[in-house]
Amino acid sequence: MNKRLVIIGASGEGKVCADVAMKLQKYGEILFLDDDETIKECIGFSVVGKSSDVEQYINGADFFVAIGDGKIRKKVMEQLRGIRASITTLIHPTAVIGSRVSIGSGTVVMAGAVINPDSKIGQGSIINTCSSVDHDCNIGDYVHVSVGAHVCGTVEVGENTWIGAGATISNNLTVCSDCMIGVGAVVVKDIEKVGTYVGVPARRI
C-alpha cells in the first residue's frame, strides 16, 4: 500500500478530498500539485509543484485528481494512466455503500453520501456530500452528483454530466452525456439532447 498521496488540484475540491484521505488514516504524507503558483498550501498540506511534475512523485505514491471540471479531470487522469501512475479512490468513512456496488478508480464519495445496491459508478466521478444514488443506477465516467442531489432507482447518467446541488432525477430515466442539471431541478423524463436543464420539471434552456 502506498503511503504518500499526491492530489492534483489545490482548490476547494482538493481540500475536501484531502480531508477524506485524512479520515481514512491510510496515508502518512499528503502533497498537492497545482498549476497556480500563488497557492502554497491547501488545508495545511504543501503544494510542491505543478501538475506537470507528477513523474517526480510516481514511485511509492497514489494519485488523486481533485478538479471540478469533468473534462479537465478526464484529461489529467488519462495523462496519469499514460505514465502508469496509481490512481486511488476515496470513500469517506461515513458514506453508505450498498451491496454489489462498483466504484471506478479516481472517484470520490463524500461524507454522508449513499449509494444503494447494484449501482455502478464510473471512474473519475464525484458523489458529493449528502447526495444519493439509489439501486440499479449506472453513473458514467466523470459525472458530478452535487451536494444534496438525489438520483432515484434504475437511472443511467452519461459521461461528464453535472447534476446540480439539490437536484432530483426520478426513477427509470436516462440522462445523456455532457449535460448540466441545474440547482434544485427535477428531472421527470429522459434527457436525450446535450444542454442545460433547469426548473421543476426540468426543461432545456
Side-chain angles (χ1 to χ4, degrees):
M1 182 181 296
N2 293 317
K3 296 300 182 181
R4 171 187 282 174
L5 175 64
V6 179
I7 299 176
I8 300 174
S11 60
E13 184 72 19
K15 182 179 295 186
V16 180
C17 290
D19 189 70
V20 174
M22 284 191 292
K23 297 290 193 302
L24 294 173
Q25 299 182 341
K26 179 180 177 181
Y27 296 102
E29 184 179 23
I30 297 174
L31 303 173
F32 280 91
L33 300 176
D34 197 287
D35 291 341
D36 185 345
E37 295 181 348
T38 66
I39 302 175
K40 303 302 182 183
E41 65 89 30
C42 183
I43 199 172
F45 299 108
S46 298
V47 178
V48 295
K50 297 182 178 181
S51 60
S52 56
D53 297 327
V54 291
E55 292 194 54
Q56 296 180 31
Y57 301 94
I58 194 167
N59 292 327
D62 284 343
F63 289 82
F64 192 85
V65 181
I67 297 172
D69 186 301
K71 290 182 179 179
I72 299 175
R73 197 159 64 249
K74 178 180 180 179
K75 180 180 178 181
V76 176
M77 283 184 59
E78 287 177 345
Q79 291 170 345
L80 289 173
R81 289 194 181 93
I83 60 171
R84 298 186 178 182
S86 172
I87 301 173
T88 194
T89 297
L90 299 175
I91 301 174
H92 195 282
T94 65
V96 178
I97 310 297
S99 302
R100 302 199 306 182
V101 168
S102 170
I103 299 175
S105 64
T107 286
V108 60
V109 182
M110 303 292 196
V114 177
I115 304 173
N116 274 332
D118 285 324
S119 284
K120 179 180 179 181
I121 312 296
Q123 62 188 0
S125 290
I126 301 169
I127 310 300
N128 219 319
T129 310
C130 295
S131 63
S132 66
V133 176
D134 219 293
H135 64 89
D136 298 290
C137 287
N138 186 4
I139 307 298
D141 298 338
Y142 311 106
V143 168
H144 188 162
V145 181
S146 295
V147 174
H150 300 293
V151 180
C152 297
T154 322
V155 169
E156 183 159 348
V157 179
E159 177 177 319
N160 195 41
T161 282
W162 187 304
I163 302 169
T168 299
I169 301 178
S170 190
N171 56 301
N172 303 313
L173 297 180
T174 297
V175 177
C176 69
S177 300
D178 298 304
C179 281
M180 173 80 73
I181 309 300
V183 171
V186 177
V187 178
V188 295
K189 61 181 181 180
D190 290 346
I191 292 179
E192 299 173 343
K193 293 183 179 180
V194 174
T196 299
Y197 292 78
V198 300
V200 182
R203 292 184 173 86
R204 188 169 180 260
I205 59 170

